[in-house]
Amino acid sequence: MGSLFPALDSAAPGSGRRETGLAPAEDPGKVALRFGERALTYRELAEAAGALAGRITAAGPGTGLRPDADPGRVALWAAPTLETAVGAVAALLAGVPVVPLNPRTGERELAHIVADSAPFAVLAGPDDELPAALEALERVDIPVSGVTATPLPPEAGPDSPALIVYTSGTTGPPKGAVLPRRAIATTLDALQDAWQWSADDVLVHGLPLFHVHGLILGILGPLRRGGQVRHLGRFTPEGVRRELTGGGTMLFGVPTMYHRLAEALDDDPELAKALAGARLLVSGSAALPLPDHERIAAATGRRVVERYGMTETLMNTSVRVDGEARPGTVGVPLRGVSLRLVEEDGTEITALDGETIGEIQVRGENVFTEYLNRPDATAAAFDGDWFRTGDMAVRDADGHVRIVGRKATDLIKSGGYKIGAGEIENVLLDHPGVREAAVTGEPDPDLGERVVAWIVAADPQAPPSAGDLTAHVASQLAPHKRPREVRFLDVLPRNDMGKIMKRALHG
Ligand code: MCA
Ligand code: AMP
């Protein structure tokens, strides 16, 4: 597999250590990362991340340079900052698996992630305030400048874990998907092939840095190519306009972001010009509705390219830049990804008729290794060596994949975030004012789906306020898991078996 960041390798000054993997030899002075006014060249990144990698190695349980030693794990306080990018690169250079944390995660979810992944330290920006749940961990401040003091261990092997990313399921707390180094290298190189992604590209985005989309595609992607990323800190159409006008060539976003861009286009001709000037506009994490595709195409003359992925599989398919624009499809399997559709009974569907619906299963070097500490869930997720995505699709005559829905109604995609209904129900049921709770997703023009909570109050005469319940969810889980609406009922609809009939719950 070689180095994860061939472009960084020679940027580290006279180190006498192994190559690190970050900047193009020919131009270590090229800007690699830009967050607003703050930027790092490849040389500066190699120095800062190299210095931090040495400290991580020293703090960890592994004995530094011994390749067979257990490297332990390190948590990363993944605010949308330069420090987070340096921290992730440093952990990868040190060969220590990194667990990115959403800084807005509530108490219950954070306690679960820390207990489950057992990191030996947390990497954070010097100004970050960390919550009580992380107090017992050694804190390592992330420098954005520095000099590599100690030699780095040899590059970790392709199957060794690089990242552990927590993702929601239908029930229970989130599971940690263990992503090996080979999956990251494979997926980023397959995207290079599909998108002609090069060192000349300047990627613009405002995605959060604790998920695959923003961190692996959005930060590690440009670094693997020897290109540049400009992060907006927080997504706004104005930020997109500014950075694309100022030299950005690619934009990554979730459909909610493209919807907000489409809404802003009417009043902002400069935004239309900026989008029209980009080489590539890419949407993923959820389906981009056709009306948003059409509004953006009409105003800019550009077609948004959709790609389809998952935390567990990284990227599976994409519309190719050298192929036909096919709005409404997620394109064709990426290089190295095998994809099949199967019936309920496991029979493979071979028809390319645009009609026969089956579950998408994938296999390839892009697929994760396991759910951390969850052999049961890992076994259930595979059919032999095929990973069951739970996404339902058809295939057109030319092999383009069209996603039509999801197997589980208890998984909600809101703003591109995957949210398990069961997780929220459990937290609501812990509230003293709640007797029964059910959570559903309802169509939403901005978020794709919005979280709705259906509540039977413990005391119907004095129900808790909606604000109280949503604040409770935000404090225990995360703000994006907060119900956007709370509806009170006298009783929840149940079938003869006593199971809540969620399909009977709609607004
Ligand atoms: C939310 N808020 C509320 C409520 N709900 N306030 C009061 N009452 C409520 N019921 C608050 C939030 O706390 C936040 O506050 C604000 O409203 C917005 O919440 P948020 O959910 O962040 O929504 P948003 O501002 O509307 O953001 C839309 C967004 C965001 C920017 C598109 O959803 C986002 O960043 N999505 C990206 C998700 C993503 O990266 N997914 C990748 C995973 P405040 O204003 O204070 O912040 S999928 C993946 O990785 C796979 C591999 C793939 O295919 O990509
Ligand atoms: P996550 O587990 O958060 O990584 O979310 C992965 C899920 O997002 C997939 O299983 C799909 O349901 C959905 N998804 C990602 N990209 C797309 C897309 N382009 N179109 C439709 N759904 C998508």
Side-chain angles (χ1 to χ4, degrees), residues 33-105:
L33 302 165
R34 181 178 290 287
F35 284 69
E37 296 298 305
R38 305 173 71 213
L40 289 181
T41 63
Y42 274 92
R43 183 187 293 113
E44 290 164 339
L45 175 57
E47 287 170 355
L52 179 58
R55 292 181 57 203
I56 295 171
T57 310
T63 46
L65 304 179
R66 265 192 38 220
D68 57 336
D70 174 4
R73 295 183 198 109
V74 73
L76 173 64
W77 191 249
T81 60
L82 196 55
E83 280 77 5
T84 296
V86 173
V89 171
L92 291 168
L93 292 181
V96 176
V98 59
V99 185
L101 301 174
N102 174 356
R104 300 183 72 176
T105 304

Side-chain angles (χ1 to χ4, degrees), residues 4 44 72 74 99 107 117 126 139 151 160 194 229 236 241-242 267 303 305 311 340-341 359 433 446 453:
L4 206 46
E44 290 164 339
V74 73
V99 185
E107 283 169 41
S117 61
R139 175 182 179 139
S160 55
V229 55
T236 59
R241 168 174 23 80
R242 187 185 62 242
D267 302 322
R303 286 272 172 204
V305 161
T311 302
R340 67 178 190 182
L341 300 185
E359 183 190 8
D446 180 46

Side-chain angles (χ1 to χ4, degrees), residues 163-456:
L163 280 149
I164 295 157
V165 180
Y166 279 79
T167 183
S168 294
T170 48
T171 56
K175 302 186 286 282
V178 179
L179 305 174
R181 298 170 84 87
R182 55 139 169 93
I184 295 173
T186 301
T187 222
L188 293 176
D189 293 350
L191 294 177
Q192 171 188 30
D193 171 61
W195 299 341
Q196 296 167 7
W197 190 353
S198 80
D200 293 331
D201 278 307
V202 176
L203 173 65
V204 173
H205 72 89
L207 291 156
L209 300 185
F210 43 85
H211 277 310
V212 165
H213 195 167
L215 183 59
I216 298 186
L217 271 57
I219 299 289
L220 305 184
L223 297 181
R224 187 161 170 85
R225 295 281 71 83
Q228 187 191 126
V229 55
R230 294 190 191 168
H231 195 277
L232 302 174
R234 187 179 180 129
F235 169 85
T236 59
E238 299 72 41
V240 169
R241 168 174 23 80
R242 187 185 62 242
E243 296 302 336
L244 286 181
T245 306
T249 66
M250 291 167 86
L251 176 68
F252 287 178
V254 297
T256 301
M257 295 173 180
Y258 282 100
H259 177 76
R260 292 181 187 178
L261 289 170
E263 294 275 288
L265 277 170
D266 293 341
D267 302 322
D268 189 348
E270 292 303 314
L271 178 61
K273 249 198 251 168
L275 292 173
R279 187 179 77 75
L280 200 61
L281 309 174
V282 187
S283 172
S285 303
L288 182 64
L290 276 175
D292 289 327
H293 265 291
E294 297 309 331
R295 284 164 77 189
I296 292 171
T300 68
R302 301 308 307 269
R303 286 272 172 204
V304 177
V305 161
E306 271 198 87
R307 93 312 180 268
Y308 157 63
M310 211 172 161
T311 302
E312 292 88 334
T313 64
L314 306 188
M315 295 303 113
N316 295 313
T317 71
S318 182
V319 171
R320 297 182 59 91
V321 288
D322 56 3
E324 205 190 317
R326 292 290 293 275
T329 85
V330 292
V332 293
L334 290 167
R335 190 177 68 191
V337 177
S338 302
L339 181 149
R340 67 178 190 182
L341 300 185
V342 295
E343 312 249 21
E344 195 68 45
D345 65 2
T347 322
E348 186 171 343
I349 296 167
T350 49
L352 297 178
D353 56 3
E355 275 178 23
T356 315
I357 299 175
E359 183 190 8
I360 301 175
Q361 296 190 347
V362 294
R363 71 175 176 201
E365 297 284 284
N366 55 310
V367 176
F368 77 138
T369 325
E370 59 173 341
Y371 293 116
L372 190 66
N373 306 322
R374 294 293 308 274
D376 55 328
T378 307
F382 285 89
D383 176 359
D385 56 354
W386 291 91
F387 176 75
R388 310 171 198 266
T389 65
D391 292 310
M392 306 301 288
V394 300
R395 286 221 266 185
D396 292 346
D398 54 5
H400 278 70
V401 177
R402 201 177 284 275
I403 296 177
V404 297
R406 228 179 357 250
K407 248 180 155 172
T409 49
D410 276 348
L411 281 180
I412 300 163
K413 262 270 157 164
S414 189
Y417 286 115
K418 189 186 228 177
I419 302 173
E423 230 181 316
I424 302 178
E425 287 159 2
N426 288 338
V427 168
L428 289 169
L429 285 168
D430 266 358
H431 190 283
V434 173
R435 173 173 304 144
E436 292 186 86
V439 165
T440 59
E442 285 191 8
D444 186 279
D446 180 46
L447 296 167
E449 290 181 292
R450 66 174 171 276
V451 176
V452 177
W454 305 80
I455 301 292
V456 177

